[in-house]
Amino acid sequence: MIVCMRERAHCFRVCSFAEPAFGEVNQLGGVFVNGRPLPNAIRLRIVELAQLGIRPCDISRQLRVSHGCVSKILARYNETGSILPGAIGGSKPRVTTPTVVKHIRTYKQRDPGIFAWEIRDRLLADGVCDKYNVPSVSSISRILRNKIGNLSQQSQYDSYKQHQPPPQPALPYNHIYSYPSPITAAAAKVPTPPGVPGIPGNMAMPRTWPSSHSVTDILGIRSITDQGNKWSPSRQQFCVSIQHGSLSYPSPSATLYDIQCCSFWLCCWTWLAACWQHSTFPPQL
DNA sequence: CGCGTCACGGTTGAT
DNA sequence: TTATCAACCGTGACG
């Protein structure tokens, strides 16, 4: 254990742009965030390379991901057929099982004015629960609020929606790497570095990650210029990609880390695009 | 040298 | 609103 803890000193935090925890660097030079899954693009790349017959050790070196991680991802893929990480966090329901929730929903639908303690009594009376696993009144209240609370509000919402203009179609992005929406708001709060143009509203969209964790890949340079080592985008193509949000990065869930990554890349992309568009590429530092 | 496994410190989200 | 807890994560060392 002591040895392990000592060895962890090899890791160090990098990129003070988005402290406190934007990432660390492993022994291979790859960037990772402790406790968080690798981006889906990396996971997908690992599987793709393995299917091309590349050995795990070579994949590890090429993508700068520890071989233990490569082994784990490939093993999971072989077992489940999925590249996605497992469900992180949360805990299994102890008393509020799906069955209990279903009964609570039924009670509420039949009698919208029913009290939580009445529901509790009915769960006992109907034999859905016994005295050992019946949810507390506060638990029932939480279920009503979080899972069933919109029953009585649904009609109001529908009425409201009918008077609203139809939603604008979202910008296209790779659905495989879809991002929940919280980034949109969060990205808008990102401070703009000096000399970097503001982030347009339509940039705060779900997108995919660069294909590697190296510094150049974080900046996205390799993912653009290294596609088969042949394709090289014109300056216009690059800027259009920026403006349309088609340069993207994925994550299984929008967390602070994800938001920080999005914000960081967003700023980098925007900055590079602006420099390029104004013929100052590479950027003048 | 390559690979599977495990302890570790960390994150996450339901309860 | 906060604390707890059990799930997961990737790294790095070991065999």
Side-chain angles (χ1 to χ4, degrees):
Chain A
M1 181 194 302
I2 295 172
V3 172
C4 189
M5 291 178 69
R6 191 183 65 228
E7 295 300 334
R8 290 190 66 81
H10 287 301
C11 299
F12 54 92
R13 291 192 183 284
V14 295
C15 188
S16 59
F17 176 79
E19 285 292 348
F22 186 78
E24 302 175 40
V25 175
N26 62 24
Q27 291 178 339
L28 298 171
V31 177
F32 72 99
V33 173
N34 201 4
R36 301 295 298 136
L38 285 174
N40 286 359
I42 299 289
R43 311 175 79 90
L44 184 60
R45 192 73 184 136
I46 289 171
V47 172
E48 286 175 348
L49 292 176
Q51 289 177 336
L52 290 174
I54 298 177
R55 294 180 305 173
C57 58
D58 293 327
I59 297 173
S60 170
R61 282 190 285 263
Q62 184 174 338
L63 299 182
R64 301 183 185 181
V65 174
S66 67
H67 94 266
C69 182
V70 171
S71 173
K72 184 176 175 179
I73 289 172
L74 290 177
R76 171 172 294 176
Y77 177 76
N78 290 331
E79 188 176 339
T80 68
S82 171
I83 64 160
L84 298 177
I88 301 174
S91 53
K92 293 177 181 175
R94 296 162 194 169
V95 291
T96 57
T97 61
T99 304
V100 172
V101 172
K102 179 185 167 190
H103 277 83
I104 293 174
R105 178 181 283 110
T106 303
Y107 298 150
K108 190 68 177 177
Q109 284 173 336
R110 288 178 186 170
D111 181 5
I114 192 170
F115 290 112
W117 61 267
E118 291 178 303
I119 291 175
R120 189 172 188 272
D121 288 346
R122 290 199 59 173
L123 287 171
L124 286 170
D126 292 351
V128 179
C129 306
D130 57 34
K131 63 179 181 180
Y132 298 107
N133 66 358
V134 65
S136 64
V137 171
S138 61
S139 291
I140 294 172
S141 295
R142 189 166 50 239
I143 293 169
L144 291 172
R145 184 172 61 248
N146 296 338
K147 299 182 179 179
I148 308 177
N150 59 353
L151 283 177
S152 59
Q153 299 165 6
Q154 188 63 42
S155 58
Q156 277 184 299
Y157 172 72
D158 290 341
S159 171
Y160 165 81
K161 220 168 56 169
Q162 285 177 353
H163 292 83
Q164 301 301 312
Q168 297 297 316
L171 292 175
Y173 62 94
N174 188 340
H175 68 91
I176 296 175
Y177 304 130
S178 63
Y179 241 131
S181 59
I183 10 179
T184 305
K189 297 178 183 175
V190 175
T192 304
V196 173
I199 302 171
N202 65 350
M203 292 290 293
M205 287 296 297
R207 51 202 69 213
T208 55
W209 296 52
S211 60
S212 170
H213 276 169
S214 66
V215 173
T216 51
D217 293 327
I218 286 177
L219 290 172
I221 293 170
R222 176 176 160 193
S223 62
I224 277 198
T225 60
D226 198 28
Q227 294 186 11
N229 295 322
K230 292 177 182 175
W231 185 77
S232 178
S234 67
R235 183 179 300 167
Q236 188 179 9
Q237 280 175 315
F238 182 86
C239 296
V240 165
S241 295
I242 293 291
Q243 288 161 1
H244 288 192
S246 58
L247 296 169
S248 47
Y249 34 94
S251 173
S253 61
T255 62
L256 177 59
Y257 162 56
D258 300 326
I259 290 164
Q260 289 170 340
C261 290
C262 287
S263 306
F264 174 67
W265 277 315
L266 212 50
C267 290
C268 290
W269 280 120
T270 310
W271 177 52
L272 290 170
C275 293
W276 205 345
Q277 201 160 24
H278 293 90
S279 301
T280 59
F281 194 84
Q284 310 287 313
L285 294 176

